[in-house]
Amino acid sequence: MFEGIELDKIDISANPPAEEPVRQYYFMAKCRRWVMDFEYKNGRLPKACVTTFGCQMNARDSEKLVGILRQVGYEVTEEENADFVIFNTCTVRDNANQRVYGRLGELKSYKKRNPAMKIALCGCMMQEPAVIEKLCASYRFVDLIFGTHNIFKFAELLCRSFEGQGMIVDIWEDTDQIVEELPVERKYPFKSGINIMFGCNNFCSYCIVPYVRGRERSREPEDILREIRRLAADGVVEIMLLGQNVNSYGKNLKEPMSFAGLLREVEKIEGVERIRFMTSHPKDLSDELIQVMKESRKICRHLHLPLQSGSTRILERMNRRYTKEQYVALAEKIRREIPDIAITTDIIVGFPGETMEDVEETIDVIRRVKYDNAFTFIYSKRTGTPAAAMEDQVPEKQVKEGFERVLKVVQDTARAQVARYQGQTAEVLVEEINAQDEGLLTGRMSNNTLVHFPGPPELIGRIVLVALDKCQGFYYMGRMVL
Ligand code: SAH
Ligand code: SF4
Ligand code: F3S
């Protein structure tokens, strides 16, 4: 939160200030007036619901939206029949888009019953012109549409939507702005994501992210460290540094700094107990990073290192800029230097031109690297990406077969890897009450493995020592040791 600003003291009869973020606080003050009016007329606060469809970066953006809504006075709920519903969308695979359209249908029926309801859409899907066309043609009941580059203007857009009638669409093609110091409300009090960079310059040939998130921009280290210090003072013990390719952090700063260098600084912050980061592109992973991880007491024993394919031929067509051998050598080096590390990955099956031999290459890498967990995706054609124009799209039947084969090996390997710690004790950050059994708590080991064990809810947010009694597939049942 921008220090020293009190919404009630802002003169909203004056013209809005031009500079950010002060301008947004002005609009928050204006929106708050509207919320007070609503409360006066209805005898209750208006309710808002923000639904996240995408990755951790998308989730972090949602926390920013919730922060602003709270400042403005909304009661925030998880129920989608609220007075104001915002879908923060993802478009990385087509099924993400389909889910949004499906849920929009449900919102339409809510809105029929409550015509005063407001619906907003934002996030990556909105950066696609074809999506906007479709929404403007067939989804007129949506009130507000904005994109990834102008999300910092949420308060201003909300205000415009209160003042005007009809659908507001505001999409920017790109931006070089990074607007800091807006309110944020964390989903968990004890852990938080922190953006260290935005956008992506890699243009993997299947991927739409560079088109919807724009060019790579790193935040200044001082801004990142200040944010983390504040979070630590506010009780956050685990932080996750977020970027599409954290290993290229800092290259374009006025005073360049490496990602490993940034980690060294973060490590010094008192109160931070655990440091995670996402995502690491294999092509940019430095020896310096391995060294920093090895020496660190706080950096978690987990590395997410997307493979995508184990076939050098396919990797080249994907524009990943590493070969199978380079990847395996890197993974082996990491395992050698940090033996207790968990390596997880993303795999795509069915990329154009992929044969069953290519799938076997992927399986070979899975067996050699022994992933602790892997997310396997069926290739999804994204309009505008180079791969979408490739002619040899793989028949569905072959994709299914390849996918099943990969999934089986991934699961077998992951099961064996997770079981490595049976009978040992581990530090576990307690995250929540178990969803199935209220008597159990659920937490994570440093290597990201889930552990369930009996304990009181007061332990949520604390790091405790747990005996890993029984491995059950991908998680442990344990018992606290004092
Ligand atoms: N920046 C991250 C990935 C972000 S997207 C990285 O490079 O690792 C998360 C994952 O979605 C990717 O790793 C990839 O496996 C998957 N993905 C991206 N585009 C896809 C597509 N068109 N079809 C299927 N999976 C895709
Ligand atoms: Fe997409 Fe590749 Fe960038 Fe990851 S590195 S976001 S897969 S283009
Ligand atoms: Fe999806 Fe955008 Fe993240 S496309 S995966 S929400 S960067």
Side-chain angles (χ1 to χ4, degrees), residues 92 199-210 244-245 279 281 283 306 308 318-320 348:
V92 76
C200 181
N201 284 353
N202 287 308
F203 291 94
C204 303
S205 65
Y206 50 81
C207 183
I208 200 159
V209 171
Q244 292 297 351
N245 176 14
T279 300
H281 195 303
K283 79 177 163 63
Q308 313 301 1
M318 286 178 161
N319 192 29
R320 289 291 287 180
I348 298 176

Side-chain angles (χ1 to χ4, degrees), residues 135-147:
L135 291 169
C136 288
S138 320
Y139 293 80
R140 298 300 307 175
F141 59 94
V142 175
D143 300 277
L144 171 60
I145 296 177
F146 55 102

Side-chain angles (χ1 to χ4, degrees), residues 371-385:
Y371 292 108
D372 296 78
N373 194 7
F375 299 98
T376 310
F377 304 110
I378 287 182
Y379 168 73
S380 171
K381 190 169 166 176
R382 308 318 286 134
T383 312
T385 61

